[in-house]
Amino acid sequence: MAAEKVMMKGNEALAEAALRAGCRFYSGYPITPQTEILEYLSWRMDEVGGEFVQTESELAGVNMLYGAASAGARVLTSSAGPGFALKQEGISYLCAADLPAVLIDVMRIGNGLGDIAQGQGDYWQLTRGGGNGDYRTIVLAPNSVQESADLIGDAFDLADKYLHPVIIASDAAIGQMMEAVCFQEMKEDNIDKFDWSVKGCRPGDKQRIISNVCFYGHPDYEDYLRNKYKTIEDNEQRWESIRTEDAEIILVAYGISSRVAKEAVRNGRKQGLKLGLIRPITLWPYPVKAFQNLSEDFKGFISVEMNILGQMVDDIKLATDAKYPIEFYGTFFDVPESDKIIKIAKEMIER
């Protein structure tokens, strides 16, 4: 029997899907446009026997994850814009201790306080890391309510697989829109699944300590860290390719921008333009494999983003050894327009 579809807001779908993936601990602080995640979990977490904490700040929200993850729980926090920026130190500590956790950033626009409108201004922060030291985080970018629900389950699995934080890069448009969504069956996670997690112990039991991994347990810590990130890069690249086989111009877009870019490919093809789309699903590891085997007639890329500096452009250059022209079409507040994308593509083809 097919799973029942329900109409649900993107933020609420993220929350429900997290519970169904076995998440039983949430700590966070309200901030637009992600507050529905917190509101939903404030009552729903209790129904599944989990723990919900509305913290006094974003700092407390991320740091409480450290303790709950150390006990082996599947843990979650969420924020947006300036609130997510405050979590960077805590993310660095989670990476340092090899602790699995999932964090959601429902992106908004602008620096500092910014604005509550949809945006993709956190790309650099999410993919480069805003805390100190040598670390990257796995970043998954859904472009629909259904994919939001699907990817958060994957996020918890990846966090457990690599003992590492995983970030869901949503945005205000996807978080606030309502679409039909199907959920997986409820999963009960085993809090005792890790042999390293902190438990109560009796006299004579081996003591378990959670600390910075470069100070214990890894005499070849440098090789351990390099190998960990290389393994993630080799095995976890995810993307969607649309009409790229014969494309002269390939659009590169993620999240809400990719939906407009897909429309531009469809409408451009009707006009005789050979357009394609690469949609990164992992913002890190960036899907460099998607940029192989371009057509002989290929002319260049257009990075479509909701920011004004083209934060993803450098990753496209790195993925292609800067061999091809890259145009950037960015918007502030407003979602990109497919007609403008097509206009830029025509200009590139006619050069």
Side-chain angles (χ1 to χ4, degrees):
M1 182 177 178
E4 181 182 359
K5 286 187 176 182
V6 295
M7 288 293 293
M8 188 170 282
K9 184 178 284 192
N11 284 338
E12 295 176 343
L14 280 169
E16 178 64 30
L19 298 178
R20 290 174 181 250
C23 175
R24 293 298 178 267
F25 181 85
Y26 173 91
S27 55
Y29 187 77
I31 180 175
T32 305
Q34 67 80 46
T35 301
E36 290 87 355
I37 298 172
L38 179 145
E39 291 176 338
Y40 188 91
L41 291 173
S42 69
W43 61 270
R44 184 76 172 102
M45 182 68 82
D46 183 61
E47 291 186 343
V48 300
E51 298 294 331
F52 167 88
V53 184
Q54 180 174 323
T55 58
E56 69 271 26
S57 68
E58 288 87 357
L59 298 175
V62 68
N63 287 322
M64 284 186 181
L65 296 192
Y66 194 102
S70 295
R74 284 195 155 183
V75 301
L76 175 69
T77 190
S78 60
S79 194
F84 202 84
L86 292 171
K87 295 183 182 290
Q88 298 307 308
E89 181 186 45
I91 294 171
S92 179
Y93 271 92
L94 290 167
C95 291
D98 270 359
L99 288 173
V102 175
L103 305 93
I104 300 171
D105 181 15
V106 183
M107 288 184 282
R108 49 196 257 182
I109 202 72
N111 298 6
L113 181 61
D115 195 274
I116 63 174
Q118 68 266 9
Q120 294 175 324
D122 295 351
Y123 184 91
W124 284 331
Q125 176 178 233
L126 298 178
T127 59
R128 269 58 181 173
N132 56 297
D134 295 314
Y135 78 91
R136 305 290 286 269
T137 51
I138 300 171
V139 184
L140 304 173
N143 78 340
S144 68
V145 175
Q146 181 64 63
E147 195 169 55
S148 296
D150 295 339
L151 288 183
I152 200 160
D154 293 346
F156 281 105
D157 290 341
L158 288 168
D160 285 355
K161 179 179 180 180
Y162 293 104
L163 302 182
H164 204 72
V166 177
I167 297 173
I168 299 290
S170 184
D171 59 62
I174 294 171
Q176 295 297 320
M177 70 170 53
M178 294 189 71
E179 291 182 323
V181 58
C182 293
F183 294 103
Q184 67 175 18
E185 295 296 320
M186 186 69 73
K187 174 181 179 180
E188 289 298 332
D189 186 60
N190 178 15
I191 197 171
D192 296 319
K193 61 185 176 296
F194 298 121
D195 59 8
W196 50 259
S197 59
V198 175
K199 303 290 185 294
C201 59
R202 294 165 296 189
D205 289 348
K206 181 180 179 181
Q207 189 178 28
R208 298 173 181 177
I209 300 173
I210 304 297
S211 183
N212 191 317
V213 293
C214 72
F215 297 138
Y216 78 97
H218 292 287
D220 299 318
Y221 175 69
E222 294 179 16
D223 288 339
Y224 163 76
L225 192 63
R226 292 190 187 102
N227 290 336
K228 177 177 184 176
Y229 287 112
K230 185 178 187 304
T231 300
I232 295 172
E233 286 189 278
D234 289 345
N235 297 311
E236 303 302 341
Q237 296 180 32
R238 303 185 185 191
W239 71 91
E240 179 185 15
S241 293
I242 298 174
R243 306 293 294 271
T244 57
E245 298 82 2
D246 65 340
E248 291 184 278
I249 301 295
I250 292 179
L251 316 179
V252 187
Y254 68 92
I256 192 64
S257 296
S258 69
R259 295 171 67 141
V260 179
K262 186 175 182 179
E263 179 185 71
V265 170
R266 183 172 61 249
N267 292 343
R269 287 276 176 170
K270 291 178 181 178
Q271 300 176 33
L273 303 175
K274 292 183 177 180
L275 303 186
L277 169 65
I278 293 174
R279 176 172 74 93
I281 297 174
T282 49
L283 304 186
W284 193 86
Y286 199 71
V288 296
K289 297 175 185 178
F291 293 83
Q292 300 171 359
N293 303 318
L294 302 175
S295 73
E296 293 182 358
D297 297 325
F298 181 71
K299 299 186 185 311
F301 298 98
I302 304 173
S303 185
V304 183
E305 309 175 48
M306 278 197 296
N307 57 63
I308 58 175
L309 294 181
Q311 295 187 20
M312 188 170 57
V313 170
D314 284 346
D315 279 334
I316 300 172
K317 290 179 181 178
L318 290 169
T320 59
D321 295 325
K323 291 180 180 178
Y324 303 99
I326 303 173
E327 294 290 337
F328 166 63
Y329 169 40
T331 60
F332 200 74
F333 287 106
D334 298 322
V335 174
E337 297 180 13
S338 60
D339 289 345
K340 290 185 178 180
I341 298 172
I342 293 172
K343 182 176 182 292
I344 295 170
K346 286 180 178 178
E347 293 171 352
M348 293 181 72
I349 292 172
E350 293 169 356
R351 287 176 190 166

